[in-house]
Amino acid sequence: MTDAASSILIRGGRVYDHDGDTDRPPVADVLIRGDRIAGVGGDLGPGDKTIDAAGKLVMPGFVNAHYHSHDVLLKGCFETLPLELWLMHALPPAYPRRSAGEVRARTLLGAAECLRSGMTTVQDMLTLFPFDPEHLETVVCAYEEIGIRCTFSLQVGDIPGIERVPFWKEVVPGEYRRHLGASVEPGGFDPLEHVREHYLAWRDASPRFRWALGPTSPEFCTPRLLEGLAALSAEHGLPVITHIYESRSMAVAGRLFMPEHDGSQVGYLRSVGLLGPNVGLAHSVWMRPDEIEILAATGTNVILNPVGNLKTRSGVPPIRGYLDSGVATAIGCDNCSCGDSQNMFHAMKAFAGLAAVTNPEPGPPSAADTIACATLGGARALGLAGEVGAIRPGMKADISLIDLSTPQYVPLNSAARQTVFAESGESVDTVIVDGRVAMENRRLAFIDEDALRSEVEAAMPALRADIEAVAARNATLRPYLLEAWRRSWREDVGINRFVDDGGR
Ligand SMILES: [Zn+2]
């Protein structure tokens, strides 16, 4: 274990440079002083600690640019489901208040999975419902304890689902509607003041903990809330991450509820001042070509989550469209119950492969482009450009060492292509965040994983009972939600994001 004031010499690894030889990166040393990279090359002198990286690939840490820790313990609970049905199983408002122990266990477990797959930064867009300041403190402390870099946002909205998911209001009988509006806290709760208050309380919690703003999705937020968040972002330099056009129904919501913006959620965001380099749009599956051009012109980031989109039957985002138009692109792994893994290797392979079904013409992304999206792209989307995402002097020391002796990398033909197309995470050997060794030889340095497993098991009896109760209630709701979803398919949205839409 090292402290931030010490130095580390990573000796003799193949150091990955986005602009260098990404097939056979040259052997070099990396010297870390404190939390930053002091040098890359040879003859860099000793460090307080030396890590022998011979036979290892020295990679910039991945940035998981879209993630929610609230459903970490629900991984593997669901088959593929349309997004609007899955949400009813996965979102915290469906469940009773959780214990602080469960909140701690899930936060640590999710972060542990991220670290183990070479992620050094995660954006946690967290719904705490009902809000409990003790739970927020628990989350902040858990990130500090495990040592991953976290850009954190509280997910907020002020329009209930029943108002803006197409046809829920028309289809769902009155006695069930209370289950579809619970995402908004009751009784004079002001999400804008709520976010401001907690940002001010926690902004300096740790050098690795940064704050962002998390409006849930444009159609669930009033102009007042979004304008207020835009002002807060400008005042404090905070990135804003929101969902947009994850499912086809969300495109229908734009067409139905935003006629003054030509049916465009992007137009709505523009009207409230929420486009630009400090804004990240998670999913962006059902984006129109004219909207892609607006994102390119304004420097707005898209954060694509290809694995979760497959599991929620949401379609394939126009990956080639974004890359060909020069839209800044990041990659995330989204929820644990729609992914179901926090694994950037899975996400990168899906990203690179699915790009090919958005345009069969050979072209981007190359494996190196994909790695750049998973590192530099994520850094840009989270307001960390120039700080993380590359191994260069002056940047934060967020680095993973990947073992090149595993079958996935033997023989070493291309570090970039074997990382994207062959590796699945188990070759990640050591992870350094902010100049501190958070995992060494596959052992997490700052937490006891056996104890964490026990904490998870202690939380599961209560959670399992609640999962069953939610499933029973959703079985009653399912015919109505499916009917609403099918009605939304009858609305023309002008684009298709499915390889085959089943003749709809
Ligand atoms: Zn999400």
Side-chain angles (χ1 to χ4, degrees), residues 94 313 376 391:
R313 296 173 176 262
L376 297 170
I391 300 175

Side-chain angles (χ1 to χ4, degrees), residues 298-461:
T298 55
T300 307
N301 304 276
V302 294
I303 304 170
L304 307 184
N305 303 269
V307 177
N309 294 152
L310 294 177
K311 187 126 184 287
T312 54
R313 296 173 176 262
S314 292
V316 177
I319 300 172
R320 271 295 292 279
Y322 291 127
L323 297 174
D324 289 346
S325 301
V327 175
T329 302
I331 303 177
C333 296
D334 208 4
N335 302 64
C336 276
S337 73
C338 77
D340 291 12
S341 60
Q342 297 309 313
N343 187 310
M344 191 56 82
F345 300 94
H346 294 179
M348 289 193 299
K349 190 169 183 173
F351 175 86
L354 287 171
V357 300
T358 68
N359 185 338
E361 189 69 23
S366 65
D369 294 338
T370 302
I371 291 171
C373 290
T375 51
L376 297 170
R380 186 186 189 280
L382 303 188
L384 295 168
E387 288 281 280
V388 306
I391 300 175
R392 290 177 195 146
M395 294 186 77
K396 291 279 193 180
D398 286 15
I399 294 170
S400 74
L401 305 188
I402 297 178
D403 184 355
L404 295 175
S405 72
T406 58
Q408 298 90 308
Y409 286 100
V410 177
L412 184 65
N413 293 317
S414 165
R417 283 192 287 279
Q418 282 161 275
T419 295
V420 171
F421 296 120
E423 172 58 16
S424 54
E426 64 268 31
S427 306
V428 177
D429 178 84
T430 293
V431 177
I432 297 168
V433 184
D434 214 35
R436 303 158 83 230
V437 179
M439 182 172 87
E440 188 161 23
N441 303 325
R442 295 202 61 71
R443 280 187 67 86
L444 295 182
F446 300 126
I447 66 159
D448 177 342
E449 285 187 273
D450 291 334
L452 174 57
R453 272 187 286 275
S454 299
E455 289 180 46
V456 170
E457 281 311 315
M460 287 315 294

Side-chain angles (χ1 to χ4, degrees), residues 131 136 152-157 189-202 211-215 225 228-229 232 238:
F131 183 77
L136 177 56
F152 177 85
S153 56
L154 285 172
Q155 183 165 217
V156 291
F189 180 87
D190 181 348
L192 192 55
E193 273 314 302
H194 172 74
V195 167
R196 177 185 289 277
E197 175 190 336
H198 295 291
Y199 161 66
L200 293 174
W202 288 104
W211 200 274
L213 303 173
L225 175 57
L229 291 172
L232 195 57
L238 302 176

Side-chain angles (χ1 to χ4, degrees), residues 66-68 125 155 243 246 282-283 305 334-335:
H66 187 62
Y67 164 68
H68 310 268
M125 186 180 192
Q155 183 165 217
H243 299 96
E246 181 169 358
H283 298 296
N305 303 269
D334 208 4
N335 302 64

Side-chain angles (χ1 to χ4, degrees), residues 114-379:
C114 290
L115 283 172
R116 285 190 160 281
S117 84
M119 295 170 188
T120 50
T121 300
V122 62
Q123 202 277 300
D124 188 358
M125 186 180 192
L126 180 62
T127 298
L128 289 171
F129 191 95
F131 183 77
D132 182 335
E134 183 196 353
H135 289 178
L136 177 56
E137 182 174 356
T138 299
V139 170
V140 175
C141 292
Y143 281 118
E144 177 60 2
E145 182 178 345
I146 198 165
I148 200 169
R149 191 180 301 286
C150 179
T151 297
F152 177 85
S153 56
L154 285 172
Q155 183 165 217
V156 291
D158 59 355
I159 301 175
I162 183 80
E163 299 291 334
R164 287 296 173 87
V165 178
F167 307 113
W168 273 12
K169 222 172 173 174
E170 288 83 347
V171 166
V172 178
E175 66 264 35
Y176 299 129
R177 287 188 191 169
R178 65 196 163 87
H179 300 307
L180 305 178
S183 56
V184 175
E185 296 255 6
F189 180 87
D190 181 348
L192 192 55
E193 273 314 302
H194 172 74
V195 167
R196 177 185 289 277
E197 175 190 336
H198 295 291
Y199 161 66
L200 293 174
W202 288 104
R203 61 182 166 182
D204 299 321
S206 150
R208 290 164 295 282
F209 189 82
R210 296 274 293 268
W211 200 274
L213 303 173
T216 175
S217 189
E219 71 267 39
F220 301 120
C221 298
T222 60
R224 175 191 170 273
L225 175 57
L226 294 179
E227 285 166 359
L229 291 172
L232 195 57
S233 167
E235 183 183 353
H236 297 286
L238 302 176
V240 182
I241 315 293
T242 185
H243 299 96
I244 191 169
Y245 292 147
E246 181 169 358
S247 69
R248 192 179 184 283
S249 286
M250 293 168 86
V252 173
R255 308 299 184 268
L256 293 179
F257 301 123
M258 300 172 190
E260 69 276 34
H261 302 295
D262 186 30
S264 167
Q265 300 224 23
V266 170
Y268 177 40
L269 287 177
R270 180 162 57 183
S271 75
V272 294
L274 276 182
L275 293 180
N278 63 339
V279 176
L281 304 181
H283 298 296
S284 300
V285 177
W286 290 81
M287 198 69 75
R288 300 189 309 214
D290 61 306
E291 295 174 315
I292 293 174
E293 294 309 317
I294 293 170
L295 302 185
T298 55
T300 307
N301 304 276
V302 294
I303 304 170
L304 307 184
N305 303 269
V307 177
N309 294 152
L310 294 177
K311 187 126 184 287
T312 54
R313 296 173 176 262
S314 292
V316 177
I319 300 172
R320 271 295 292 279
Y322 291 127
L323 297 174
D324 289 346
S325 301
V327 175
T329 302
I331 303 177
C333 296
D334 208 4
N335 302 64
C336 276
S337 73
C338 77
D340 291 12
S341 60
Q342 297 309 313
N343 187 310
M344 191 56 82
F345 300 94
H346 294 179
M348 289 193 299
K349 190 169 183 173
F351 175 86
L354 287 171
V357 300
T358 68
N359 185 338
E361 189 69 23
S366 65
D369 294 338
T370 302
I371 291 171
C373 290
T375 51
L376 297 170

